[in-house]
Amino acid sequence: MATTFTLRDGRPLAYNLSLNPTNGPVVLLANSLTSDHTSWDHVVERLVSRGFRPLRFDQPGHGGSGVPRDLSSTSFSSMADDVAALLKHLGLARIHAWIGVSMGAAMSVYFLAQHPGVVDRVVICDTISASPVNAGVPDAFGDRVAGARREGSLDAVRAGTLERWFGREWLAAHPDEAARVEELMKTTTLDGFETCCAALRSQTFDLEPLLGKVAAGCEDALLVVGEKDADLPVKMEDMRAKIEKGFRDAGKNRAVELRVIKNAGHVCFIDGLEPFCGVVIPFLEKR
């Protein structure tokens, strides 16, 4: 069950810090667009069994978290600062790891740049590196927001997102898990969808200038991507190389890996749960 913490502007931020193990290394899990913190439930079970203490939170307008008055004001920088406020509230000056997928992964890069030395190691999963305007591609986020506003509902967004994430074949073969994910997606409000899309669409969203700074923000990094996640396996190899160069330039002897989860899509810790945990947990346990 989530607890809420009130941010400086009065917004509630919903989070869940596992009660056990009480002294385990804290691993923060950051969500993708249109999902709440319960999307990580199966990963949490495995982390707890290995002695880690998971910390999850909901993005603005997702789950139990509120949205700002100005929906266009949400940015990756502001969301990273929200997490910093949460960690301060919990008395956590340092955490063992940040595992983020999609939007939650992009946020991790901003957090490391803005709050260096708080996260020991980072796992960056299935993320684009820039907004459509910066990447020079059509703005699909804007179209989805406009369509949802016309319909007054996120029903079509959820259906399209599920198919993009997992594909029809996987959804048909795993009806119970598909139903679980669809249900948790219903906690995202229209305002929450719009305000997080504002961050994804913003001219300020560009990881390229920040990738070389990852090494200054943490001690180790791992990149993970689903094999079927469009062209991200190729694009994230470029991201991996830039992050590794940053470690070299900082005098840190780190070989940064990109691990591809076979037969998995955009949210690879769901349709690729076992191989995902088989890659990530050893990285968390690495000395």
Side-chain angles (χ1 to χ4, degrees):
M1 181 173 292
T3 302
T4 57
F5 156 66
T6 302
L7 294 162
R8 180 179 296 181
D9 64 359
R11 284 181 293 128
L13 189 155
Y15 69 92
N16 181 301
L17 177 59
S18 295
L19 296 178
N20 293 300
T22 55
N23 295 319
V26 173
V27 176
L28 182 145
L29 305 168
N31 310 325
S32 61
L33 182 68
T34 72
S35 66
D36 70 15
H37 73 275
T38 64
S39 61
W40 296 95
D41 281 355
H42 301 323
V43 175
V44 165
E45 293 172 3
R46 285 154 178 79
L47 290 176
V48 169
S49 73
R50 302 296 296 189
F52 295 103
R53 191 180 187 194
L55 170 60
R56 297 172 283 170
F57 68 98
D58 290 331
Q59 312 285 14
H62 293 56
S65 292
V67 297
R69 289 184 179 181
D70 178 1
L71 298 181
S72 68
S73 67
T74 299
S75 67
F76 282 102
S77 179
S78 70
M79 289 189 290
D81 285 344
D82 288 349
V83 175
L86 173 62
L87 295 180
K88 183 177 181 180
H89 169 71
L90 294 172
L92 296 171
R94 192 173 181 89
I95 62 173
H96 182 66
W98 178 312
I99 304 173
V101 64
S102 191
M103 183 171 68
M107 193 192 307
S108 73
V109 178
Y110 278 83
F111 187 93
L112 294 173
Q114 294 169 204
H115 306 281
V118 175
V119 177
D120 183 42
R121 57 194 74 186
V122 64
V123 182
I124 299 169
C125 309
D126 296 87
T127 184
I128 57 176
S129 61
S131 62
V133 67
N134 288 327
V137 298
D139 183 3
F141 298 113
D143 291 343
R144 291 170 198 161
V145 170
R149 285 297 181 190
R150 283 195 303 270
E151 297 296 324
S153 167
L154 288 174
D155 290 350
V157 167
R158 283 194 296 270
T161 298
L162 283 167
E163 190 168 323
R164 281 192 304 276
W165 282 1
F166 305 116
R168 293 180 182 178
E169 184 176 343
W170 186 91
L171 293 171
H174 301 84
D176 291 344
E177 185 66 356
R180 181 185 80 90
V181 175
E182 183 175 15
E183 193 63 25
L184 67 86
M185 292 171 75
K186 292 179 182 178
T187 68
T188 301
T189 65
L190 259 171
D191 283 352
F193 182 67
E194 180 173 338
T195 202
C196 287
C197 281
L200 288 159
R201 301 174 65 199
S202 172
Q203 288 185 336
T204 66
F205 173 33
D206 189 355
L207 299 185
E208 292 297 316
L210 303 178
L211 294 175
K213 300 178 182 179
V214 169
C218 68
E219 294 303 315
D220 208 349
L222 170 69
L223 279 67
V224 178
V225 65
E227 179 185 30
K228 297 180 178 180
D229 194 1
D231 60 354
L232 283 187
V234 174
K235 289 186 174 179
M236 287 189 67
E237 168 56 29
D238 180 64
M239 190 181 300
R240 182 211 65 78
K242 290 175 180 176
I243 292 173
E244 184 175 79
K245 181 179 183 299
F247 275 101
R248 288 199 306 269
D249 291 345
K252 297 181 179 180
N253 184 24
R254 293 286 183 270
V256 177
E257 288 189 275
L258 170 65
R259 301 294 296 273
V260 178
I261 307 300
K262 294 292 184 182
N263 299 314
H266 187 60
V267 188
C268 61
F269 66 86
I270 291 180
D271 56 352
L273 174 65
E274 297 304 335
F276 176 86
C277 291
V279 164
V280 170
I281 290 178
F283 173 75
L284 300 180
E285 295 176 333
K286 186 172 68 172
R287 297 189 183 278

